[in-house]
Amino acid sequence: MRIMRTAMMKKMKKNSSSSSNEEDLYHVIHKVPHGDSPYVKAKHAQLIEKNPEAAIVLFWKAINAGDRVDSALKDMAVVMKQLDRSEEAIEAIKSFRSRCSKQAQESLDNVLIDLYKKCGRLDEQIELLKRKLRLIYQGEVFNGKPTKTARSHGKKFQVSVKQEISRLLKSNYLTAEVIYRKAQMIDPDANKACNLGLCLIKQGRFDDAGSVLGDVLQGKIPGSEDDKAKNKARELLMEVKAIQPPLELSDIVGLDDEFFNGLELLMNAYAPGRSKRLPIFEEISSFRDQLAC
């Protein structure tokens, strides 16, 4: 009897261990956390049941219950964006981000930038991008370190100061491009066309820039007869033909010299052996003069 009881106990432990391993594997595969809290139920509705409306209701419950508020607010905003409820997501983040930790604020800013872009709220998108750049300049993002840990799709990776600044500046150029294209649709003129061409050049989209600037030289856009506009278009086309790598930023987005100099010093601090200006800031001042008023 004792032998049989021992064998049964071993079998029960084995079955329990096997069941636990299967449950762990389930959560790993579906990226669903353990437990039965409102946040866990929300993730189950989002990822397993594929029911975004139910997930949003449960994310709200998690936020109100103080259950993983950082993740609940961010995940809810992402689901809302997928359902074309971006304006509602923006208001939710603005209203409840004060309940989130300091560490979560940067991630919420990144979500807000995407939401502003989705809603066409370009001025607010640019202001937030500028604020994030200033936070890097002030040392509040990297805490004096050359890299920080970022997360995407559940995976962690290292991001350098230069990579983060480049990413934010590229977002500014994409936003500026949208602004100039919309302006051209409403009231086309050669000066705005040159500014659009400059945005495209700095994104490395030389063919698109050449097409826009070519229209100015061919007189296809109102104001093309102006000598100043023609000269600007010629100068930019020369740059396109030289196929130079894109520069990273001018004051298209309204940032001043002192701020740029501070960013350059910050980036150079992590590359002390380099004597030249980094490409990201090369010839910024000269290109500033090319922007139309």
Side-chain angles (χ1 to χ4, degrees), residues 20-39:
S20 177
N21 289 337
E22 288 178 2
E23 184 179 352
D24 289 341
L25 184 60
Y26 173 86
H27 288 288
V28 169
I29 291 174
H30 296 287
K31 298 180 181 179
V32 178
H34 291 269
D36 60 354
S37 68
Y39 178 74

Side-chain angles (χ1 to χ4, degrees), residues 73-126:
L73 182 56
K74 185 177 72 171
D75 291 346
M76 183 179 72
V78 171
V79 175
M80 284 179 169
K81 179 187 174 186
Q82 293 169 349
L83 295 178
D84 290 325
R85 293 167 60 179
S86 296
E87 293 284 358
E88 186 179 346
I90 290 171
E91 294 309 312
I93 291 178
K94 287 184 173 182
S95 299
F96 291 93
R97 68 182 307 165
S98 61
R99 299 190 185 186
C100 298
S101 67
K102 183 178 179 181
Q103 292 74 21
Q105 299 304 317
E106 186 182 355
S107 294
L108 290 173
D109 281 344
N110 290 335
V111 175
L112 266 181
I113 287 171
D114 287 339
L115 290 170
Y116 284 144
K117 183 177 180 180
K118 175 90 170 178
C119 296
R121 294 165 64 166
L122 300 177
D123 288 342
E124 290 164 287
Q125 182 185 357
I126 288 175

Side-chain angles (χ1 to χ4, degrees), residues 1-57:
M1 286 291 294
R2 185 178 298 175
I3 295 173
M4 290 179 62
R5 192 180 297 116
T6 302
M8 287 179 65
M9 290 292 291
K10 287 183 178 180
K11 186 175 181 180
M12 289 174 64
K13 286 183 179 179
K14 183 177 181 181
N15 289 338
S16 176
S17 176
S18 176
S19 176
S20 177
N21 289 337
E22 288 178 2
E23 184 179 352
D24 289 341
L25 184 60
Y26 173 86
H27 288 288
V28 169
I29 291 174
H30 296 287
K31 298 180 181 179
V32 178
H34 291 269
D36 60 354
S37 68
Y39 178 74
V40 172
K41 291 178 179 178
K43 294 301 289 183
H44 192 277
Q46 177 193 2
L47 300 175
I48 306 301
E49 298 174 6
K50 306 296 183 183
N51 188 340
E53 295 288 356
I56 289 173
V57 172

